[in-house]
Amino acid sequence: MVVKINENYLKLKSSYLFTEVARRESEFINANPDADVIKMGIGDVTKPLVPSVINAFKDAVDEMGSADTFMGYGPEQGYGFLAEAIIENDYKKYGIEFDKSEVFISDGAKCDTGNIQEIFGLDNKIAVTDPVYTVYVDTNVMAGRTGKMKDDGMYENLVYLKCNTENNFIPELPDEDVDIIYLCYPNNPTGTTLTKDQLKVFVDYAKENKAIILFDAAYEAFISEDDVPHTIYEIEGAREVAIEFKSFSKTAGFTGTRCAYTVVPKELIGYDSEGNEIEINPLWNRRQTTKFNGVSYPVQKAAEATYSEEGQAQIKEVIDYYMENAKIIRDSLTEIGLTVYGGVSSPYIWVKTPNDMNSWDFFDILLNEANVIGTPGSGFGPSGEGYLRLTAFNTLENTKEAMDRISKLKF
Ligand SMILES: *Cc1c(COP(=O)(O)O)cnc(C)c1O
């Protein structure tokens, strides 16, 4: 006997994108040690946690150090105080009611969007937008829901909903039956949004086809446009067909602190092989209670503090700072004749490469001639070819300097 591996892992494309970006960057720095390289590819926040979060975090740490306030294992689903704050602030505000048992607090939306697929059968047909946050694709490859990657960069048995200039980044409904659709809005990597009417098309499709939408709203806090929904549950009928993922990572700088949540409404149903209706909520509850032991108490207290009046004001200030950067990037690039998308309700700016250049050639020009690093769009899927992603997470000074340099280039 020998140990057999899960061969689905062998189908995964190597994480070529960020390793190749890092390789070209260090090659450039070795050849040009004095160059001041500005990183505009960062997908991580850079501002520290705000004071009200830090205070709550510290107070909770002190509680852990005293016998009468010490907390051991908490509920796997998260503490009631945080679930209540979430329901009150992220849903009631929009006229949406949830029970605490429909909110599952976790240590990340990456884990949740990755783990959620295991409560669904392997014979479900999956659709993703293209370009895409690769977690949705790779976790389904690992589970065996796809075939091999084809020469065109697409996996067999996976449905790609193209998002490009032609459709103004509004994905069309799949032209074959699908069971599970991943949507992320505001979108990473394109920074584009869907209006309520555009999202309703997908909700209606899901209702009609007994499908489920996995809606990633990690960038909700960046929304500035009135007709862009803050939660998919603003769309009529969505509680019957959608699971929503949210995170404190981009909202409040929790990328290194780790806290997120997933909403699984009681109304949501799937089907067993005999066609019986099965509630999804108890399945996710069973998955979490079996495989997860909750987020640490101080982190949940820190997350709760983001909802205080002071906390809300402080995190808004940070988001406004990033969005000022986004505006500078948009305006500067538009000024020199480039076509850009996103950056209005999102920290990502999706730049169409000039003269139909490919993503990597444009990356090289920006690196070599402006010493600015972006992320080649082709790394996010075949439809990302011909685009480059810039982010608003650098400092204001660096953002301005990077735009000054790019503005001097001739395309
Ligand atoms: C950053 C990001 C998340 C957040 O992941 P965490 O694990 O909560 O840090 C989720 N989805 C997308 C698309 C993201 O870009």
Side-chain angles (χ1 to χ4, degrees), residues 108-111 133 136 184 188 216 218-219 247 249-250 258 260 348:
K110 181 178 184 177
C111 333
Y133 179 57
Y136 317 146
C184 171
N188 177 11
D216 186 341
Y219 295 94
S247 173
S249 284
K250 316 294 162 38
R258 314 303 307 142
Y348 297 123

Side-chain angles (χ1 to χ4, degrees), residues 222-242:
F222 295 83
I223 294 173
S224 66
E225 294 153 289
D226 284 344
D227 57 349
V228 173
H230 286 259
T231 153
I232 192 169
Y233 304 115
E234 283 186 66
I235 313 301
E236 197 194 327
R239 22 194 333 142
E240 290 145 54
V241 294

Side-chain angles (χ1 to χ4, degrees), residues 300-372:
Q300 293 192 62
K301 289 303 273 186
E304 184 194 23
T306 64
Y307 294 115
S308 68
E309 205 174 308
E310 202 189 17
Q312 288 281 294
Q314 292 169 350
I315 62 176
K316 182 173 183 300
E317 212 172 292
V318 175
I319 286 174
D320 287 348
Y321 178 92
Y322 293 138
M323 290 315 289
E324 173 64 21
N325 289 345
K327 186 176 183 323
I328 290 168
I329 298 169
R330 273 186 66 91
D331 290 351
S332 314
L333 299 184
T334 307
E335 178 89 356
I336 60 167
L338 292 175
T339 305
V340 301
Y341 300 90
V344 177
S345 288
S346 150
Y348 297 123
I349 293 90
W350 192 242
V351 188
K352 179 94 193 74
T353 62
N355 313 320
D356 291 323
M357 205 182 289
N358 78 39
S359 297
W360 278 109
D361 286 348
F362 189 46
F363 170 92
D364 283 335
I365 288 179
L366 293 188
L367 174 59
N368 291 310
E369 297 178 20
N371 307 345
V372 170

Side-chain angles (χ1 to χ4, degrees), residues 85-329:
I86 288 166
I87 292 166
E88 191 64 37
N89 293 280
D90 290 348
Y91 294 102
K92 272 213 182 119
K93 194 160 103 192
Y94 304 106
I96 300 153
E97 301 275 345
F98 279 116
D99 184 73
K100 275 184 287 190
S101 60
E102 296 172 292
V103 177
F104 296 86
I105 292 150
S106 78
D107 58 354
K110 181 178 184 177
C111 333
D112 287 354
T113 54
N115 291 331
I116 196 78
Q117 47 77 31
E118 69 174 76
I119 62 170
F120 296 106
L122 288 180
D123 49 356
N124 283 301
K125 188 72 160 226
I126 311 289
V128 295
T129 59
D130 173 28
V132 71
Y133 179 57
T134 48
V135 174
Y136 317 146
V137 174
D138 288 357
T139 52
N140 278 291
V141 173
M142 290 169 174
R145 280 191 197 84
T146 72
K148 294 205 177 69
M149 183 180 272
K150 298 175 287 179
D151 291 340
D152 60 7
M154 300 192 199
Y155 284 98
E156 294 163 351
N157 203 34
L158 187 65
V159 175
Y160 291 80
L161 310 175
K162 285 199 177 84
C163 296
N164 51 33
T165 311
E166 277 96 80
N167 59 20
N168 209 18
F169 299 88
I170 317 297
E172 274 146 47
L173 287 174
D175 51 15
E176 56 187 297
D177 274 358
V178 301
D179 306 298
I180 296 175
I181 305 173
Y182 288 84
L183 295 176
C184 171
Y185 288 96
N187 188 257
N188 177 11
T190 65
T192 56
T193 51
L194 292 185
T195 63
K196 287 178 190 163
D197 289 344
Q198 289 159 349
L199 185 54
K200 185 169 185 300
V201 172
F202 281 87
V203 171
D204 290 347
Y205 173 92
K207 285 177 79 169
E208 214 167 289
N209 292 275
K210 295 188 157 67
I212 276 183
I213 297 170
L214 302 176
F215 192 75
D216 186 341
Y219 295 94
E220 179 273 331
F222 295 83
I223 294 173
S224 66
E225 294 153 289
D226 284 344
D227 57 349
V228 173
H230 286 259
T231 153
I232 192 169
Y233 304 115
E234 283 186 66
I235 313 301
E236 197 194 327
R239 22 194 333 142
E240 290 145 54
V241 294
I243 293 177
E244 179 160 281
F245 304 91
K246 276 201 67 182
S247 173
F248 296 92
S249 284
K250 316 294 162 38
T251 308
F254 273 54
T255 51
T257 307
R258 314 303 307 142
C259 199
Y261 67 85
T262 291
V263 177
V264 188
K266 287 277 164 61
E267 290 90 337
L268 199 65
I269 50 158
Y271 299 86
D272 68 11
S273 52
E274 284 155 10
N276 300 308
E277 293 191 351
I278 309 285
E279 281 182 37
I280 303 286
N281 177 291
L283 301 182
W284 184 243
N285 189 53
R286 186 59 209 259
R287 193 269 169 209
Q288 288 300 79
T289 50
T290 301
K291 296 194 176 183
F292 184 58
N293 246 338
V295 179
S296 86
Y297 173 72
V299 168
Q300 293 192 62
K301 289 303 273 186
E304 184 194 23
T306 64
Y307 294 115
S308 68
E309 205 174 308
E310 202 189 17
Q312 288 281 294
Q314 292 169 350
I315 62 176
K316 182 173 183 300
E317 212 172 292
V318 175
I319 286 174
D320 287 348
Y321 178 92
Y322 293 138
M323 290 315 289
E324 173 64 21
N325 289 345
K327 186 176 183 323
I328 290 168
I329 298 169

Side-chain angles (χ1 to χ4, degrees), residues 20-30 37 39 363 367 373:
E20 181 62 16
V21 167
R23 193 191 69 74
R24 292 191 192 202
E25 178 188 336
S26 63
E27 190 179 79
F28 178 81
I29 291 170
N30 286 339
V37 173
K39 296 185 186 185
F363 170 92
L367 174 59
I373 299 199

